[in-house]
Amino acid sequence: MRIIVLMKEVPDTYGERKLNLETGLAERGASEAVLDEIGERALELALTQAASLEDAEITVVSMAPETATATLRKALAMGADKLVHIADENLVGADLGLTAEVLAAAIRRTGFDLVIAGNLSTDGYGGVLPAMIAELLGVPYASALTTVDISADRVSGTREADGGVMTVAAPLPAVISITERFPAGRFPNFKGIMAAKKKPVETLTAADLEIDPEGLETPRSIMLAVSERPARSAGTKIVDEGDAGEKLAEFLIQNRLA
Amino acid sequence: MTTFPEDSILVLLETTPSGGLAKSAAGLLGAASQVGTPIALVVSASGAASNATQNAAALGAKQVLTAEPEGADARLAVPTVDALAAAADLVRPDAVLISNSIDGRDVAGRFAARTRSALAIDAVGVSRDEEGIVAHHSVYGGAYNVDCAPTFGAPVITVREGSIDVRAEAASPEGAPLDVPPSGAPAASIESFEEQAVVSTRPELRGAAKVVAGGRGLTSQEQFALVDQLADVLGAAVGASRAAVDAGWVPNSYQVGQTGISVSPQLYVALGVSGAIQHRAGMQTAKTIVAINKDPDAPIFEIADFGVVGDLFDVVPQLIASLSARKE
Ligand SMILES: Cc1cc2nc3c(=O)[nH]c(=O)nc-3n(C[C@H](O)[C@H](O)[C@H](O)COP(=O)(O)OP(=O)(O)OC[C@H]3O[C@@H](n4cnc5c(N)ncnc54)[C@H](O)[C@@H]3O)c2cc1C
Ligand SMILES: Cc1cc2nc3c(=O)[nH]c(=O)nc-3n(C[C@H](O)[C@H](O)[C@H](O)COP(=O)(O)OP(=O)(O)OC[C@H]3O[C@@H](n4cnc5c(N)ncnc54)[C@H](O)[C@@H]3O)c2cc1C
């Protein structure tokens, strides 16, 4: 079974995340780049279930700047078999539509039975790419799964729906996305790190995928304006001396909040 | 055949399992009314939506298209996307507005990919300039405001639930059934659905005016009841940090933060929440923030308007008693 895991490099959310006020692009230098946590969970799911699947091959597909190779190698060290890295200067600042076209083309080129994505990335938090990719590939999409069961020709799971919980299923090939209720990714061990050095890494450009990032026939989403909100500052801080509950009640009532 | 105004905004309204319109409807139609003429589309399984035309008109939809595509309750997203595509063909709108819910994002993603439309996600407002419809976003936890527009064509915009206060004037009900040719696109099938029981009369977290949130500091599911008690005295919704959700004390839908729900209430009370950057991303645009935490260096204090350094198990019961006493 050919499993593709979609992983993204994102600015570490524990650091301060910045947008460039001129270009509106995420400022890559502002904080350390890491593998998106939700992507690691997706890979962990693939690695866990691969054990019980016949001939499972796990390929990580990522569209990211050239500098991301080091970050992406961690996925190989965790246990993925192969990396397909789409890196192209012309894709900097790609909107959702272009990103979906690129990833769908790379997935098709690689060949797939199951695509596993995160439900929501940590930086763009669009939460729509997997749906777009499924539409472009012409396959079913089961979104926001909290449990997943993969068999030779079918994927099923529990979906955290609006207003309830559903069980869903789809024949393969299919796209699924998982939520952060899945366990965190494993830490690569020494053996994994050494093995990663020998694993295949394919680097592609938009042209390799026959996509023209500058094509004018498709509408793109563009930023018109970006502004920074003034940071919030701290107000009153009291230490409880046995009457903080009373004081807080007072504050809430004075401010008509209670 | 009906004609639609030049400045039509097509609004996809979701229905609840019991057949009414989802809460997001009022905000979506309100937003649409600010930039054009709201035209609603209600998609449901055969006979499942009740009074959709009247209900949508009461919230400002000038015309209401109702569609009952095959498999609407048995297949994920695709039947709704097919209906939306048919509606967009008919209406030729200046923009399509969809709720930024889980289902809404699935539909928006597929529809945008199918029609090659520009997509704007999680908008907190819309406006119109000479070129068309502009979406306003609040990103990185409200640290930045970003305006987006398509290079050309009608954008598909998902709107954050609870972010739009404007309400459209009621319109007279005018509805028409919509014929939906199936696309044949493969979809995942829904094998079962269990509606989440509405457990309380508390306000819903999304769009709530007041929120009381609990974190790991509550230490157990039993103790988390203290959060509920304070919420009830204040008439607030209940939220939680990811740590509290991960511990299983509250359902996933309670999570506030970057990967949970973003709230902008008048009052946000954080109990035993450290204020990790990912949590702050979902609540730091609240008007007034109150925090109770025993660690004087907890980052939540950096953004709190009123911070109490103390044990929440002492402070909160006293606060509840004090508020209850004053109410009498
Ligand atoms: C603050 C901000 C706001 C933005 N708003 C918009 C907008 O309104 N409209 C718009 O068109 N674009 C927008 N963008 C650009 C958009 O985020 C990018 O196109 C991005 O590459 C994909 O979207 P996402 O991260 O939101 O994906 P999501 O849909 O949230 O990602 C879900 C999953 O898809 C997979 N995935 C996502 N990106 C990649 C990748 N590069 N490589 C491999 N797998 C991936 C991962 O598995 C991920 O978990 C925005 C970007 C930022 C930083
Ligand atoms: C990609 C990513 C996405 C994330 N998304 C989210 C998200 O959406 N929402 C979210 O909340 N988190 C999110 N997190 C997790 C986040 O980083 C924190 O781990 C989490 O918010 C911590 O929850 P907490 O504040 O309840 O727990 P802790 O950080 O453990 O804080 C508990 C606090 O309670 C205080 N306390 C303990 N006992 C008492 C007492 N008796 N009285 C008073 N105070 C007490 C402690 O001093 C401490 O400050 C995300 C993380 C990542 C990496």
Side-chain angles (χ1 to χ4, degrees):
Chain A
M1 166 158 338
R2 298 161 301 170
I3 300 176
I4 289 186
V5 179
L6 292 178
M7 295 181 86
K8 187 176 181 184
E9 186 198 53
V10 300
D12 191 348
T13 54
Y14 287 105
E16 197 186 349
R17 294 172 297 165
K18 292 203 150 163
L19 282 186
N20 184 305
L21 292 176
E22 264 156 38
T23 60
L25 297 178
E27 210 112 63
R28 295 236 165 217
S31 52
E32 208 186 326
V34 294
L35 276 182
D36 197 356
E37 184 202 69
I38 191 77
E40 292 193 356
R41 292 178 202 260
L43 177 56
E44 182 62 36
L45 166 68
L47 292 168
T48 312
Q49 300 228 351
S52 56
L53 295 164
E54 211 167 310
D55 291 328
E57 188 191 43
I58 301 170
T59 306
V60 168
V61 173
S62 184
M63 176 179 121
E66 217 163 329
T67 50
T69 320
T71 313
L72 293 171
R73 272 198 183 274
K74 181 181 171 197
L76 296 176
M78 284 170 71
D81 299 300
K82 214 173 103 187
L83 170 65
V84 175
H85 179 186
I86 308 114
D88 192 323
E89 299 240 306
N90 292 321
L91 291 172
V92 173
D95 73 343
L96 286 159
L98 182 55
T99 307
E101 282 169 45
V102 167
L103 291 174
I107 291 165
R108 206 181 273 122
R109 186 178 192 273
T110 307
F112 72 103
D113 297 300
L114 178 66
V115 177
I116 308 178
N119 65 329
L120 210 69
S121 80
T122 304
D123 65 339
Y125 57 85
V128 289
L129 263 182
M132 300 177 87
I133 290 168
E135 182 73 24
L136 295 175
L137 294 172
V139 300
Y141 171 45
S143 58
L145 301 182
T146 53
T147 68
V148 169
D149 192 37
I150 307 167
S151 66
D153 56 2
R154 191 178 119 105
V155 60
S156 59
T158 314
R159 177 171 182 260
E160 202 180 295
D162 302 299
V165 177
M166 42 173 81
T167 47
V168 293
L172 301 183
V175 176
I176 63 170
S177 69
I178 60 147
T179 76
E180 61 185 348
R181 301 283 88 88
F182 272 89
R186 63 191 65 183
F187 288 104
N189 56 22
F190 180 71
K191 220 174 103 202
I193 294 167
M194 292 314 286
K197 294 192 199 288
K198 295 197 199 85
K199 290 182 178 172
V201 176
E202 188 176 17
T203 310
L204 300 173
T205 63
D208 293 331
L209 298 167
E210 289 170 36
I211 286 172
D212 175 11
E214 259 124 48
L216 294 175
E217 62 288 350
T218 310
R220 298 295 177 204
S221 191
I222 50 168
M223 305 248 190
L224 302 179
V226 189
S227 60
E228 194 169 358
R229 283 232 198 124
R232 232 190 143 99
S233 52
T236 316
K237 185 157 102 180
I238 61 167
V239 177
D240 183 25
E241 287 165 344
D243 61 351
E246 306 267 350
K247 284 185 176 153
L248 180 47
E250 191 85 17
F251 170 84
L252 293 175
I253 287 162
Q254 259 173 20
N255 288 281
R256 296 164 171 263
L257 292 166
Chain B
M1 205 186 84
T2 345
T3 54
F4 294 89
E6 284 275 312
D7 67 346
S8 289
I9 305 294
L10 181 58
V11 182
L12 175 65
L13 301 182
E14 294 176 340
T15 54
T16 61
S18 54
L21 291 180
K23 280 219 176 105
S24 53
L28 286 167
L29 290 166
S33 74
Q34 290 180 295
V35 293
T37 307
I39 310 292
L41 168 65
V42 182
V43 184
S44 64
S46 179
S50 43
N51 302 325
T53 304
Q54 282 74 12
N55 294 341
L59 296 174
K62 291 281 201 268
Q63 293 181 54
V64 184
L65 299 168
T66 48
E68 298 184 342
E70 174 122 21
D73 57 354
R75 298 164 71 232
L76 282 183
V78 168
T80 306
V81 176
D82 293 352
L84 190 57
D89 260 350
L90 197 65
V91 177
R92 305 255 150 226
D94 283 348
V96 176
L97 301 190
I98 301 174
S99 173
N100 193 51
S101 59
I102 298 171
D103 287 335
R105 285 198 300 261
D106 286 0
V107 170
R110 275 192 178 266
F111 176 76
R114 189 183 293 182
T115 58
R116 303 282 157 149
S117 306
L119 185 51
I121 287 300
D122 198 28
V124 296
V126 290
S127 63
R128 186 188 273 273
D129 68 9
E130 314 77 65
E131 315 261 334
I133 307 298
V134 178
H136 303 274
H137 307 262
S138 168
V139 310
Y140 288 168
Y144 294 88
N145 295 322
V146 177
D147 297 347
C148 283
T151 47
F152 62 92
V156 177
I157 302 171
T158 69
V159 178
R160 184 183 295 178
E161 287 175 80
S163 70
I164 308 275
D165 296 328
V166 182
R167 294 294 176 261
E169 247 174 68
S172 55
E174 204 177 303
L178 177 74
D179 189 37
V180 181
S183 63
S189 55
I190 301 168
E191 308 210 306
S192 70
F193 178 71
E194 204 179 303
E195 193 178 339
Q196 218 154 39
V198 181
V199 278
S200 72
T201 49
R202 264 180 224 126
E204 211 180 310
L205 183 53
R206 281 200 173 89
K210 295 177 193 171
V211 175
V212 180
R216 205 192 316 261
L218 270 302
T219 63
S220 72
Q221 182 158 13
E222 292 69 47
Q223 310 260 47
F224 201 90
L226 200 51
V227 177
D228 300 345
Q229 287 166 22
L230 178 58
D232 290 342
V233 175
L234 290 169
V238 174
S241 71
R242 186 166 88 175
V245 172
D246 280 343
W249 303 338
V250 290
N252 299 347
S253 56
Y254 281 42
Q255 184 173 320
V256 171
Q258 182 182 313
T259 41
I261 290 172
S262 288
V263 295
S264 278
Q266 294 295 314
L267 173 67
Y268 190 90
V269 182
L271 307 177
V273 171
S274 61
I277 195 155
Q278 298 93 349
H279 186 81
R280 286 158 58 166
M283 46 66 74
Q284 65 192 6
T285 56
K287 197 81 170 279
T288 301
I289 297 173
V290 169
I292 303 175
N293 195 305
K294 65 180 181 190
D295 173 9
D297 298 323
I300 192 77
F301 287 128
E302 292 164 19
I303 57 165
D305 299 287
F306 195 96
V308 176
V309 181
D311 191 322
L312 71 92
F313 296 112
D314 296 333
V315 180
V316 177
Q318 189 182 64
L319 171 61
I320 292 172
S322 177
L323 289 174
S324 309
R326 286 175 210 230
K327 264 193 192 157
E328 275 150 23

